Amino acid sequence: MKRSTVLAGLLWIVFTAMAQGDYRIPVSEQHEPMMTGLFEPTWQSLETHQTPEWFRDAKFGIWAHWGAQCVEGSGDWMAREMYMEGNRKSDFHRENYGHPSEFGYKDVLPLFKAEKWDPEALVERYKRCGAQYFFVLGNHHDNYDLWDSKYQPWNSKNIGPKRDILAEWAAAAKKAGLPLGISFHADHAWTWFEPSQRYDLEGPKAGVYYDGNLTKEDGKGKWWEGLDPQMLYQQNHPMSKGSWDNGAIHGQWDWSHGACPPSQEFVTNFYDRTLDAINRYNPDLIYFDVTVLPFYPLSDAGLKIATHLYNKNPRGVVFGKILNEDQKKALTWDVERGAPNQMIEQPWQTCNCIGDWHYNTGTYKRGYKSAANMVKQLVDIVSKNGNLLLNIPLRADGTYDEKAAAFLDELEAWMKVNGESIFGTRPWVKFGEGPVAEKDIKINSQGFNEGQYNGMDYRDIRFNQTPKYLYVTAMGWPEDGKLLVKSLAKNTPDFKKSIKNVYLLGHGKLKARQTVEGLEVELPEPCNKIAPVLRIAK
């Protein structure tokens, strides 16, 4: 028998077993029972859940992807990369804080103070910029919970700010009238923290292990006495295949290619923590930085978490990445730093950031993405039936810097005038026209193709609509003021009404002329710094 035939047979057995609920690492509901109700933890059941209309109307959310990894200001994944000898973040940590055998990530946590953090003021600021929902970080791959966690003593109430971060964010979102989202990333701490098991290969401390192998007993007389470092690092297990290869984790994100399988205790701990946060703070949205769902396909933990939210909150949204077409019916597809270049039938979301996910002084010095860039991405995404969730980096003290402030000012100015062309809209018969619309742009794994959308100009035009209006947005202002919309040419079957004038948001009525080439519009001097939006009565 051919090897491919045997492999196909084995895969069929595995997926049949999973469909029947026979998961390799079944989660325990001893501490946090899954809420029962209309939905069951199967794909067939979850596919009957529809992404709610409020989310389709919202279009734009802002994310505070903020936690203890912002302390050193070296950017995202610093808690992993500080253990990679020779890495820039590792060098910075050693020079400023100490060797990771003596001053590890656990010792960074008390330095996270959030001393200037004002959640109400921040959420109100984001709302003025057009945010229709607000997302916060519940935990990252660093396994540190940003609430008064029942199941993780390494949390923000015990260590660092000594505040229940989620409780305060949730109260601020409620006061502002914004739906709350929480992102949970700690399910990958198991493999993500494996570099903390390493040791230096060179130099005066060659062979000295880092602190990832410490136990509770090692804490006697230390500031962390009584705490078990393994509850944070979760490294009481063999390293994954190729773990010393810093890039191997990317091929093991779905728990394949030699990733060390997680224990049932770890899987259940993540499940318990997630349900604890859902039950306390009642989010409308939850986000996982995973392939499909947490621990999928090894465990039913992710399916049970999604089922719990849907049964608890029928208007809830659960995001997943790298989904097949059937899974996109059960979950809302999330694309990281990118977008498909076609209209998508099911509602979906792009998550992006103006800089690094965690605060990075290097990115600050180089400069963030411009408001013009992100607005154009938003318009493009909305035209394809998507939403944009945008992270604004915060420093460890809970404030954004002056460059982020300038970004928010420009975003607010454009949204204040042109927001009606975004919120509550739906796709038209086609998403757009122009050079970028015609490109064959592929998704790279979970996204990462946003660079293909840079450089859009007035020739790139996007459409969306309400029952009353068609909105036409050009991705820039033509120098000569002449805009041609080819998709609205005379006698087009897609828009049967004759167009004699259009309304430019922020300016007023303009004369328009339909020819066989397209809709010709003479624009005035730019009335905003980013993109003109035409409103056409239907």
Side-chain angles (χ1 to χ4, degrees):
M1 186 179 292
K2 291 183 179 180
R3 181 180 177 185
S4 59
T5 305
V6 173
L7 179 59
L10 290 172
L11 288 173
W12 182 86
I13 292 171
V14 169
F15 286 111
T16 299
M18 288 192 298
Q20 296 172 348
D22 298 329
Y23 289 90
R24 178 178 171 186
I25 310 173
V27 73
S28 169
E29 296 182 53
Q30 179 182 355
H31 302 297
E32 295 288 341
M34 180 196 77
M35 179 175 283
T36 57
L38 181 62
F39 300 98
E40 298 178 355
T42 66
W43 288 111
Q44 292 82 357
S45 177
L46 296 185
E47 283 176 14
T48 65
H49 179 270
Q50 299 294 313
T51 302
E53 288 299 297
W54 77 260
F55 178 76
R56 299 192 68 191
D57 288 339
K59 303 303 180 188
F60 180 59
I62 286 184
W63 192 0
H65 193 287
W66 174 65
Q69 287 184 87
C70 299
V71 166
E72 298 190 12
S74 58
D76 202 35
W77 283 35
M78 66 75 51
R80 170 179 165 86
E81 295 183 32
M82 62 170 280
Y83 293 104
M84 295 178 180
E85 184 181 12
N87 178 284
R88 176 181 59 81
K89 295 173 187 177
S90 177
D91 291 343
F92 180 85
H93 177 82
R94 293 169 187 232
E95 291 169 8
N96 293 276
Y97 298 90
H99 191 267
S101 65
E102 301 162 351
F103 197 102
Y105 185 63
K106 69 182 187 312
D107 303 293
V108 173
L109 297 179
L111 305 180
F112 176 47
K113 300 294 188 182
E115 62 269 28
K116 297 180 181 179
W117 176 51
D118 185 343
E120 282 192 14
L122 287 168
V123 174
E124 280 297 335
R125 181 74 181 94
Y126 300 151
K127 186 177 180 179
R128 293 202 309 273
C129 292
Q132 304 293 298
Y133 54 102
F134 175 62
F135 245 96
V136 301
L137 194 68
N139 50 41
H140 199 247
H141 311 312
D142 65 349
N143 213 24
Y144 172 68
D145 283 353
L146 290 158
W147 75 93
D148 186 15
S149 181
K150 288 167 60 177
Y151 303 100
Q152 172 56 296
W154 298 86
N155 68 64
S156 64
K157 185 69 173 176
N158 289 342
I159 305 164
K162 303 296 179 71
R163 296 166 73 173
D164 188 325
I165 300 292
L166 280 194
E168 294 189 49
W169 276 132
K174 183 177 181 179
K175 184 175 181 180
L178 295 182
L180 175 70
I182 307 175
S183 66
F184 301 96
H185 311 240
D187 52 307
H188 272 96
W190 184 268
T191 51
W192 192 81
F193 257 138
E194 284 185 10
S196 69
Q197 293 193 49
R198 298 181 190 174
Y199 47 83
D200 282 3
L201 297 175
E202 300 176 351
K205 290 189 179 293
V208 177
Y209 281 93
Y210 306 148
D211 70 334
N213 296 303
L214 293 178
T215 64
K216 188 175 183 178
E217 290 70 29
D218 294 315
K220 292 179 180 178
K222 307 286 179 59
W223 75 263
W224 47 276
E225 184 173 359
L227 290 168
D228 184 358
Q230 289 311 308
M231 284 293 293
L232 179 68
Y233 297 129
Q234 292 290 345
Q235 292 308 301
N236 189 22
H237 64 80
M239 285 179 150
S240 300
K241 181 180 179 181
S243 184
W244 280 76
D245 175 357
N246 294 335
I249 192 172
H250 300 292
Q252 299 170 337
W253 207 246
D254 61 353
W255 302 98
S256 66
H257 297 94
C260 178
S263 67
Q264 186 184 39
E265 180 183 14
F266 177 70
V267 169
T268 299
N269 179 258
F270 176 82
Y271 166 87
D272 287 342
R273 289 153 66 187
T274 306
L275 260 64
D276 175 39
I278 291 172
N279 291 338
R280 289 195 199 196
Y281 309 113
N282 298 305
D284 296 291
L285 315 98
I286 55 175
Y287 168 107
F288 299 113
D289 190 7
V290 298
T291 302
V292 186
L293 281 170
F295 307 110
Y296 190 81
L298 301 181
S299 176
D300 58 350
L303 283 169
K304 287 189 172 181
I305 294 170
T307 302
H308 181 82
L309 183 76
Y310 288 164
N311 283 332
K312 182 176 174 59
N313 183 354
R315 71 194 295 271
V317 180
V318 179
F319 296 101
K321 299 182 180 182
I322 314 181
L323 307 177
N324 64 34
E325 292 307 310
D326 288 333
Q327 291 163 347
K328 288 176 184 176
K329 299 173 185 175
L331 307 172
T332 300
W333 183 36
D334 182 84
V335 180
E336 183 173 350
R337 293 190 186 270
N341 205 24
Q342 61 188 36
M343 197 183 298
I344 304 298
E345 180 180 357
Q346 300 289 339
W348 58 281
Q349 174 182 268
T350 286
C351 61
N352 210 331
C353 181
I354 64 172
D356 210 348
W357 288 113
H358 280 105
Y359 193 81
N360 190 329
T361 55
T363 305
Y364 161 74
K365 291 174 183 176
R366 291 190 297 274
Y368 296 132
K369 294 171 187 169
S370 68
N373 177 282
M374 293 314 307
V375 164
K376 291 175 185 179
Q377 283 197 37
L378 171 64
V379 172
D380 178 72
I381 289 162
V382 168
S383 74
K384 299 168 183 173
N385 203 29
N387 287 26
L388 172 63
L389 175 62
L390 183 64
N391 176 47
I392 307 297
L394 294 176
R395 294 174 286 211
D397 66 6
T399 62
Y400 49 76
D401 58 48
E402 70 276 10
K403 290 183 179 179
F407 176 96
L408 292 171
D409 288 342
E410 290 187 39
L411 177 63
E412 180 181 355
W414 192 88
M415 284 288 204
K416 188 174 182 180
V417 174
N418 299 286
E420 69 169 82
S421 69
I422 300 294
F423 311 124
T425 62
R426 294 293 183 270
W428 190 46
V429 295
K430 61 192 299 186
F431 76 86
E433 65 180 50
V436 174
E438 296 165 6
K439 288 173 66 174
D440 182 17
I441 299 176
K442 305 294 186 184
I443 293 284
N444 180 17
S445 188
Q446 63 261 49
F448 300 115
N449 65 356
E450 66 173 322
Q452 296 287 318
Y453 295 96
N454 291 338
M456 290 189 286
D457 60 28
Y458 70 93
R459 297 170 298 168
D460 290 292
I461 294 171
R462 298 295 179 266
F463 307 99
N464 52 350
Q465 63 179 336
T466 63
K468 191 174 181 180
Y469 298 115
L470 173 67
Y471 290 96
V472 180
T473 305
M475 300 299 201
W477 295 81
E479 289 186 9
D480 61 4
K482 295 181 179 174
L483 184 67
L484 178 68
V485 186
K486 297 178 181 178
S487 300
L488 294 176
K490 191 173 184 179
N491 298 323
T492 176
D494 296 327
F495 196 90
K496 296 180 180 179
K497 184 177 178 180
S498 176
I499 305 172
K500 295 183 179 179
N501 56 60
V502 299
Y503 188 91
L504 174 64
L505 299 188
H507 176 80
K509 283 188 178 181
L510 303 175
K511 289 183 179 180
R513 185 168 72 101
Q514 281 182 293
T515 70
V516 294
E517 301 294 328
L519 178 68
E520 297 179 356
V521 181
E522 191 82 27
L523 295 174
E525 288 295 315
C527 56
N528 69 64
K529 296 181 179 180
I530 299 175
V533 181
L534 305 179
R535 186 178 71 196
I536 302 173
K538 292 166 69 175

